[in-house]
Amino acid sequence: MSRRTPALIAAAVLLPLALTACSTSETSTDAQGRPEASEKSDGFPYTVKNCGVTSTFKAPPKRVVTMNQHVTEIMLELGLAKSLVGTAYLDDKVLPKYAKDYASVPVIAKEYPSYEQVLASNPDFVYGGYASAFAAGDGRSREAFKKSGIESRLNTESCAKADTPMETLYEEVREVGRTFGVADRAEAWIKQAKADNAATAEKLKDLKALPVFVYDSGDKTAFTAGGKGIGNELIKRAGGTNIFADLDKSFGDASWENVVARKPEAIVIYDYGATTVEQKKKRLLTDPALADVPAIKNKRFAVMPLSDVVLGVRVPAAVDKLAAQLHPAATTP
């Protein structure tokens, strides 16, 4: 079972996002032509409320530890590799465009580091992707870091209340950009993401949505994507309908009887961890109880890396990638 278990998700505090709007005025640029992180007071102090925790920054954090791949990639997309003093917990390889920058960051643990391992990196900021990154039982609570003088951020998919996951993604990137003094980079990414999403929507505008079942993992029950979070939004924007959209969480368990009853026409397999895609397909195709499911009869599968379907900078491209698998005729040039 992955760390995205229902218990961990339910443990996240459900609070609305809050954004303090302000702009920065960076003028210098890096080697890629992006504005440099502000070393001045532009845009600071900056106060942000994140998943129930309010933080005020007088200047951008300079020593950051990230836990979970999607938040690491947000940092790398915003050109903040030099701010990273440690990282942990990949689900798969980082995107090729980030490989060089990622290689420059010390990996302090294969999965979650201990509290002591994090402190050894001497961070002033810790950024976690899932609620489990800050598991109090493991000694890594946000309160514990705060007592050590370390600010923190939890990816807002773990606590967002509003049912607008793409807007939540934009706000996540915007708030991280503001925190690190690179608001212009964040806004440029958001602008391009909106354009990419609009282009995919245009290709699919006349198509009928396809009933989709997400198979993440599970044997006795199916661990699947629920109606909250970016995974459900991704399916909708890719021309599908999540058959478990009525599950009031980002991930959760569903009975195989309900899978059969809801007759999905396509199955999206999440690819990560020790169990391969082929093993997951075999489990589904050889289960006699699923034999009459249309997607099983037609062997209609789509595959998505886990890093594509959580709240991170891969999402706009992932929408187009899934659309191409669900509706190949409509998306082929």
Side-chain angles (χ1 to χ4, degrees), residues 23-313:
S23 63
T24 61
S25 57
E26 299 88 355
T27 55
S28 60
T29 59
D30 65 10
Q32 284 73 45
R34 297 175 299 206
E36 291 282 11
S38 176
E39 295 295 335
K40 302 178 181 179
S41 60
D42 298 344
F44 294 89
Y46 170 57
T47 299
V48 61
K49 188 175 182 179
N50 164 248
C51 295
V53 177
T54 300
S55 301
T56 297
F57 299 92
K58 294 181 179 179
K62 293 183 177 181
R63 297 183 59 83
V64 183
V65 169
T66 56
M67 295 184 284
N68 303 121
Q69 182 166 347
H70 52 305
V71 297
T72 302
E73 291 189 348
I74 289 174
M75 294 290 289
L76 296 178
E77 176 63 32
L78 294 178
L80 296 167
K82 290 181 180 179
S83 299
L84 297 177
V85 295
T87 189
Y89 221 140
L90 290 187
D91 288 304
D92 43 64
K93 290 183 179 179
V94 296
L95 292 174
K97 66 186 286 191
Y98 307 137
K100 184 177 180 181
D101 282 342
Y102 180 78
S104 71
V105 182
V107 176
I108 62 175
K110 184 178 180 181
E111 296 187 351
Y112 285 131
S114 67
Y115 182 69
E116 291 72 22
Q117 285 176 303
V118 176
L119 290 188
S121 297
N122 192 28
D124 57 5
F125 187 89
V126 178
Y127 188 9
Y130 302 112
S132 49
F134 296 114
D138 294 333
R140 292 189 310 272
S141 70
R142 297 182 72 179
E143 293 80 3
F145 285 120
K146 185 73 171 180
K147 287 179 180 178
S148 295
I150 301 168
E151 296 291 351
S152 62
R153 180 177 181 87
L154 174 61
N155 181 284
T156 42
E157 186 169 22
S158 293
C159 64
K161 193 172 184 179
D163 190 22
T164 54
M166 197 63 73
E167 291 300 323
T168 299
L169 172 59
Y170 299 153
E171 293 301 318
E172 180 74 13
V173 173
R174 181 174 285 120
E175 289 183 357
V176 173
R178 283 295 320 282
T179 298
F180 287 90
V182 291
D184 288 354
R185 296 181 194 174
E187 293 303 326
W189 184 87
I190 293 166
K191 182 179 179 180
Q192 185 59 55
K194 289 181 177 180
D196 292 344
N197 284 329
T200 303
E202 179 65 22
K203 288 187 284 189
L204 301 176
K205 65 181 180 180
D206 297 322
L207 293 180
K208 182 180 178 181
L210 197 67
V212 169
F213 161 56
V214 169
Y215 182 52
D216 176 296
S217 57
D219 189 27
K220 292 183 179 180
T221 58
F223 194 60
T224 189
K228 298 289 185 182
I230 202 69
N232 185 69
E233 178 84 353
L234 193 151
I235 292 168
K236 287 194 296 184
R237 287 176 178 263
T241 300
N242 180 8
I243 64 168
F244 290 110
D246 57 341
L247 190 63
D248 193 28
K249 56 185 74 176
S250 297
F251 291 93
D253 288 297
S255 70
W256 292 110
E257 290 79 8
N258 268 333
V259 174
V260 174
R262 298 186 184 194
K263 301 178 180 179
E265 295 179 24
I267 296 173
V268 178
I269 294 176
Y270 285 176
D271 182 15
Y272 71 98
T275 306
T276 68
V277 169
E278 289 308 312
Q279 288 172 326
K280 290 181 180 182
K281 283 184 180 179
K282 183 178 179 181
R283 188 262 173 263
L284 297 170
L285 289 169
T286 58
D287 187 341
L290 302 178
D292 291 330
V293 171
I296 296 296
K297 281 184 174 181
N298 297 318
K299 297 184 179 179
R300 191 168 185 178
F301 295 100
V303 178
M304 298 295 287
L306 181 62
S307 296
D308 281 16
V309 298
V310 290
L311 198 83
V313 290

